[in-house]
Amino acid sequence: MTPNRNADRPRIDAHEKVLGRALYAADQPFPGLFHAMTVPATIAKGRILSIDTATALQVPGVVRVFTHADFSQIRTTPAARGAYGQPGKGYQPMTAPQVRHRGEPVALVVAETLEAAVEGAEAVTVRYAEESFSARMDDDLASPEPEAVGQLASGDAEAAFANAIHVIDVEYRHPQQHHNPIELISTTAAFEDGTLRIYEGTQSAAAFAGGLAGMMGMEPQALRGVSPYTGGGFGQKNGVQEQSVLVASAALLLRRPVKLVMPRGQLFHTASYRPQSRHRVRLAADGDGRLLAGIYETVQQNSRYDGFGSDHGATPPRMYGYGAWRGSERIVRVDTQTPGHQRAPHEHPASHATECALDELAGALGMDPVALRLANDTQRDPITGKPFSSRHLADCLRRGAARFGWDRWTNQPGALVAENGDRIGLGVACGSYKAAMTPSVTTLRLSAGGQCRIATSGHEMGQGIRSVIAAELIDVLGVDPDKLDIRIGDTGHAPQHLTAGSWGAGSAAPAAQAAALKLREELSQLTGAALSDEPVPVQLARTRRPYLEVSVDTVPLGKDRQAIEQLRRGMPVTTGPEYPDFLAFSWIAHFAEVHVEPSTGRVRVRRVVSVADCGRVMNRRTAESQVRGGVVWGIGAALREAAEIDPRFGGVLNNDLAEYVVPVNADIGAIDVDFIDEPDTRLNPSGVKGLGEVAMVGAAAAIVNAVHNATGKRIRHLPIRIEDLL
C-alpha cells in the first residue's frame, strides 16, 4: 500500500453539488414547517420599554410573536455560545429587556410562510430608553484603558533593540471585516424520532448541540446537531449563533418545525466578525541583516460583555530566527456584538504588520527582501527552543522566487514600467499557521458488493474534507469512489469535533487511514493470509461475508484517552502547535505583482505565485483551490474590504454585498500555486499539516509590499484606497 502522492482527483461531492442534490441545512424539507424572522434592535445600547405586537399578529399567516418575556428561562453561561472551548458570546439576546448592541434580536415572528414572517417582523413596534455608546475602538466612550490579555517573551528584546545598528518602529492598522459566506446563517429545529434535531450550517455540530441543550435545560442526548454541508464558515459558524436557541425554543413551544434564515444585512450586526486592531512593530537587526529582536504590541477591539481573545503575537516570533522577542496583547471594549475567528483570525493581521515591517527593514538595510528572510531562516522555535516537526519555508521562498521571476525585482520604487505606463511593483511575504489535530471516533463498514460507509468526525465546509477522507479509503482499500457514503457533521452518526483552525484534514485523514488499516488487518485475520494488491472489497467477497465493520478511536499527539471522552461529551479538544518534542506549523511564501495606474492610483494584482509547505497534499485539485481562495481573500483584504461604522447609530453602513466591496473576477489575475509536498509523519501517520488557514497568511502583505515597490508609498493601513496613492 503506497499513498497516491499529490493525487489530482475530482471532489468526491462535486456531482452532488452541481446537480443540486447536496442539501444544506436550510434546504431540509419538513411537513408543517413554520418560518421565522427576527426583529432587530434599532439602538446600540439601552432598555426595551415596550413591544407592540398587535399589528403583526393581524398579518395573515402570522402564528406567534415571541419576545424576551417568552424566553427569559433560557440559561446563559460565559461559555454557552463560545468557540474553541473558550468563554465567549455568553450574552444571549431576548432573555431580558436590555439591548447591548445594534441589530440584536428583540422579537421573533413565526408564520406559515416566509413572506408573512417578514411582513409581521416589519409590523412590530418597539420603544426604547437609549443609552450612550461607542461603536469604534477610537471613540471617546470606548474603554479608557486597554486591558492586558497576554504576553510572550524570550530573551531581553529591549536591550537588543537599544544596541542595534538598524531599527524599525512602525504601526500598522487593520480594519473591521466581515465573513459573508455564500450560505447565509440559518437554523431549522424539528422533532424526529423523539429527539429535537437542529439543522444548521455549522463547524461544530456537537458543541453547538451541547451548548443549546444546556441553554434550554435539556439532556444533551435529547438534542441532535446536524450540519449536512456548510456553505462556507471561515470561523463565523463555529459557535451558537444569536438566533439558534430562539428558533429551537420556538419549535419546542409550538411543537412544530421552525426555520429561520438570517438576512445578510442583519448578519453584519449579529454574527461574529474580524475586529479592528492596531499593531506596533519594532525590529532590530545587525549590519548583515540578522534579526536581533522583535517587539510586537497589539490592541484589538472587543465587545463589552464577553470575550474574544487576542492572539496576534502567537505566530510572528516563530517565523524567523529572532535573537529575542517580546509581545503583548491588549483589548478595547466597545458596544457591539462580540467579534470572533475569521479565516487566519489573528495570523492574517499579524502577518500584514510584521511582514510589511520586515520589508521596511530590508529597505533600511538595502537588502533583497527574499535574501533577508532566507538569512533569518531557522529550524527551531525561538520561544521554546524546540525544533519544528518540519519546516521548508526556505524552499517555498526559493521555488516561489524562481517561478515568479523575482530576479526582476529592484530596490528602487517605480523602476519597472509596463508598456501602457503602469508602474509595476513586486512584493513578497511569508506566513505560517499552527498544525493542530483533534481526536476522532470512526466506524467503517465495507460490504462485499463494494459499498463503503464511514461515519467519523468532521464538517464539510466546501474545503474538501470528504475528498480527504475518500483519498485515504481509496489508497488503503481500493474502493470505488462512487460507492462511498461519508457521514460527517451529524452527532447521530459519530461524535463531532469542531472543524476549524486548519485541523480538519490533519484529523480526518489519520482517522480514515486508521479505520481502513484496521479493516485490512481484520480481513487478513479472517482469510489467514496477508492481503494482495487487489481491491479489498474483492477479497472480502471471497470470504462469503456480506460485510465487515470496524470502529477505531484516534488520539492525536499530546493527548490521552480522556480526549475521546471529552469528544463524546461535545467538548472541543485540540492539540498543537506545541507537542512534547517539537512544534508544528504549515508555511507559505507569496509573491505578488501589481500594476498601478499613475494618474488614477488604480491597483491591479496581475500575478501571484504561492508555494506552500503543508505536509502531504491529499488532493492536488482541492489544495490548489484552497490556496487560490486564500489569495483572493488576501487581495480583498489589501485593496477592498472594510466595514464602515456609523458612529451616530452604532451600525455597519455597508451591510450588504453591494457596498461591502469584495474582489470579483475582473480583479483577479493569474494565481500560480505549488507545494513542497513533503509528508510530516512525525505529526500524524497521514503526514498532513493543514492548508486552509495558512493559504491566506501573508497574501495581503505581499500585495502591500508590491504597491510600495511600484509607488514608493508605504501605506500602513488596510485596505489601500485610491486616495492613498494619489
Side-chain angles (χ1 to χ4, degrees):
M1 181 201 70
T2 303
N4 189 339
R5 291 283 303 280
N6 226 4
D8 182 13
R9 295 189 177 106
R11 294 178 66 102
I12 200 71
D13 50 9
H15 283 97
E16 295 295 303
K17 289 186 173 182
V18 170
L19 296 174
R21 293 199 295 248
L23 298 183
Y24 291 73
D27 299 330
Q28 305 299 317
F30 294 101
L33 178 67
F34 284 150
H35 296 264
M37 185 55 60
T38 58
V39 177
T42 57
I43 65 169
K45 188 177 182 181
R47 292 183 61 81
I48 297 171
L49 298 178
S50 66
I51 301 178
D52 185 350
T53 63
T55 304
L57 290 170
Q58 293 175 3
V59 173
V62 169
V63 174
R64 186 163 173 180
V65 179
F66 293 96
T67 69
H68 60 270
D70 300 293
F71 295 147
S72 59
Q73 78 286 354
I74 292 175
R75 305 172 183 177
T76 58
T77 65
R81 295 179 51 232
Y84 298 94
Q86 300 297 318
K89 301 185 180 179
Y91 171 63
Q92 174 59 50
M94 284 188 63
T95 57
Q98 66 190 91
V99 173
R100 306 193 76 165
H101 65 82
R102 185 178 182 84
E104 70 174 70
V106 294
L108 181 74
V109 178
V110 179
E112 297 281 357
T113 65
L114 175 59
E115 293 77 10
V118 171
E119 185 179 349
E122 292 174 346
V124 173
T125 302
V126 186
R127 290 177 55 247
Y128 304 96
E130 295 188 56
E131 299 176 18
S132 299
F133 67 91
S134 63
R136 303 174 301 183
M137 61 188 293
D138 297 323
D139 290 348
D140 292 340
L141 293 178
S143 56
E145 289 296 328
E147 301 172 29
V149 293
Q151 58 184 3
L152 193 66
S154 176
D156 192 342
E158 295 285 359
F161 191 85
N163 297 320
I165 300 174
H166 297 281
V167 298
I168 292 292
D169 187 346
V170 291
E171 181 176 277
Y172 279 81
R173 287 175 169 256
H174 198 282
Q176 179 174 319
Q177 295 175 330
H178 293 261
H179 304 68
N180 283 303
I182 296 301
E183 180 203 26
L184 294 171
I185 287 174
S186 72
T187 305
T188 303
F191 286 94
E192 296 179 285
D193 303 323
T195 63
L196 181 61
R197 295 193 189 186
I198 310 296
Y199 291 82
E200 188 165 309
T202 181
Q203 300 172 233
S204 185
F208 159 78
L212 277 185
M215 295 172 77
M216 297 170 67
M218 300 172 63
E219 292 297 322
Q221 62 270 20
L223 198 151
R224 179 172 171 178
V226 186
S227 179
Y229 289 88
T230 302
F234 313 113
Q236 189 180 69
K237 298 175 181 176
N238 60 15
V240 180
Q241 304 290 336
E242 287 192 355
Q243 84 288 340
S244 301
V245 71
L246 306 179
V247 175
S249 298
L252 196 64
L253 291 169
L254 296 172
R255 309 303 293 183
R256 288 270 294 274
V258 178
K259 177 171 76 174
L260 169 65
V261 179
M262 292 288 283
R264 191 172 298 277
Q266 291 189 27
L267 291 178
F268 277 79
H269 301 103
T270 60
S272 60
Y273 59 92
R274 195 193 304 277
Q276 183 183 359
S277 55
R278 296 196 301 266
H279 308 255
R280 184 186 179 191
V281 185
R282 287 182 278 172
L283 301 177
D286 63 18
D288 297 324
R290 185 167 59 92
L291 288 168
L292 303 176
I295 302 175
Y296 182 36
E297 299 165 329
T298 68
V299 181
Q300 174 189 285
Q301 175 179 307
N302 216 317
S303 69
R304 294 278 188 195
Y305 49 84
D306 50 30
F308 171 61
S310 180
D311 203 22
H312 294 97
T315 54
R318 275 69 192 244
M319 285 299 302
Y320 307 106
Y322 289 96
W325 181 269
R326 180 176 67 78
S328 64
E329 312 264 355
R330 296 181 297 165
I331 61 172
V332 173
R333 296 192 178 275
V334 297
D335 299 298
T336 67
Q337 78 270 30
T338 301
H341 299 87
Q342 182 171 333
R343 193 177 192 179
H346 297 100
E347 292 77 8
H348 155 64
S351 70
H352 164 238
T354 56
E355 289 291 311
C356 289
L358 201 68
D359 208 62
E360 295 199 48
L361 178 62
L365 290 163
M367 284 186 71
D368 181 318
V370 173
L372 176 62
R373 288 166 170 82
L374 289 172
N376 288 283
D377 190 36
T378 179
Q379 292 298 316
R380 286 190 173 271
D381 169 34
I383 301 298
T384 65
K386 290 183 178 182
F388 296 112
S389 60
S390 63
R391 175 181 161 113
H392 302 288
L393 180 58
D395 295 331
C396 293
L397 280 163
R398 293 190 185 99
R399 187 182 299 185
R403 291 177 74 109
F404 183 75
W406 183 254
D407 54 2
R408 298 170 60 210
W409 179 86
T410 172
N411 196 31
Q412 182 179 349
L416 297 177
V417 181
E419 290 184 3
N420 66 353
D422 285 356
R423 298 171 184 170
I424 298 175
L426 308 181
V428 63
C430 297
S432 67
Y433 196 90
K434 64 182 179 182
M437 296 179 291
T438 73
S440 295
V441 173
T442 306
T443 302
L444 176 64
R445 180 184 177 117
L446 180 66
S447 74
Q451 287 76 23
C452 184
R453 185 181 73 203
I454 184 170
T456 189
S457 308
H459 300 75
E460 179 58 71
M461 304 177 292
Q463 83 279 38
I465 198 170
R466 279 188 168 91
S467 299
V468 165
I469 294 168
E472 291 287 27
L473 299 180
I474 293 168
D475 289 342
V476 178
L477 301 176
V479 297
D480 182 348
D482 293 332
K483 294 184 177 181
L484 276 174
D485 178 9
I486 300 173
R487 300 184 175 185
I488 55 177
D490 188 336
T491 60
H493 294 317
Q496 297 298 307
H497 60 62
L498 168 65
T499 306
S502 248
W503 59 68
S507 304
Q513 184 192 92
L517 290 173
K518 185 175 181 180
L519 191 142
R520 285 182 64 98
E521 180 185 350
E522 293 203 4
L523 181 57
S524 178
Q525 292 175 358
L526 278 173
T527 61
L531 299 187
S532 69
D533 291 334
E534 286 183 292
V536 174
V538 174
Q539 300 178 71
L540 174 61
R542 293 198 189 103
T543 68
R544 299 185 181 276
R545 291 177 63 100
Y547 67 88
L548 188 61
E549 182 173 295
V550 298
S551 295
V552 61
D553 300 342
T554 49
V555 179
L557 286 175
K559 295 291 183 181
D560 55 25
R561 287 288 307 177
Q562 184 181 0
I564 296 294
E565 297 309 311
Q566 291 175 305
L567 175 69
R568 291 185 183 279
R569 294 199 302 270
M571 299 173 61
V573 187
T574 61
T575 182
E578 186 172 351
Y579 297 93
D581 299 322
F582 54 77
L583 269 74
F585 286 86
S586 291
W587 313 90
I588 198 165
H590 297 284
F591 294 81
E593 176 181 328
V594 303
H595 289 208
V596 183
E597 208 283 323
S599 61
T600 66
R602 186 189 67 185
V603 179
R604 294 291 194 193
V605 181
R606 293 298 187 189
R607 263 191 332 137
V608 175
V609 172
S610 302
V611 182
D613 166 24
C614 58
R616 176 184 166 200
V617 176
M618 297 293 300
N619 185 307
R620 179 87 188 196
R621 191 172 307 190
T622 57
E624 287 184 359
S625 177
Q626 280 286 351
V627 176
R628 289 194 177 98
V631 169
V632 171
W633 274 57
I635 294 171
L639 304 174
R640 300 285 187 271
E641 292 185 52
E644 304 293 343
I645 309 301
D646 187 338
R648 302 166 302 166
F649 305 109
V652 180
L653 289 168
N654 54 334
N655 62 332
D656 55 49
L657 287 180
E659 295 185 324
Y660 184 86
V661 185
V662 297
V664 297
N665 285 352
D667 297 316
I668 309 303
I671 302 176
D672 182 14
V673 178
D674 199 10
F675 302 98
I676 302 301
D677 196 20
E678 286 291 335
D680 189 342
T681 52
R682 293 182 71 186
L683 186 63
N684 58 61
S686 295
V688 178
K689 293 199 292 185
L691 181 62
E693 306 267 13
V694 77
M696 185 183 182
V697 185
I703 294 164
V704 172
N705 290 336
V707 170
H708 171 262
N709 185 245
T711 66
K713 294 186 177 182
R714 179 61 68 178
I715 311 302
R716 297 193 180 100
H717 62 259
L718 293 184
I720 296 175
R721 304 290 197 191
I722 285 177
E723 55 266 29
D724 294 322
L725 302 177
L726 292 177

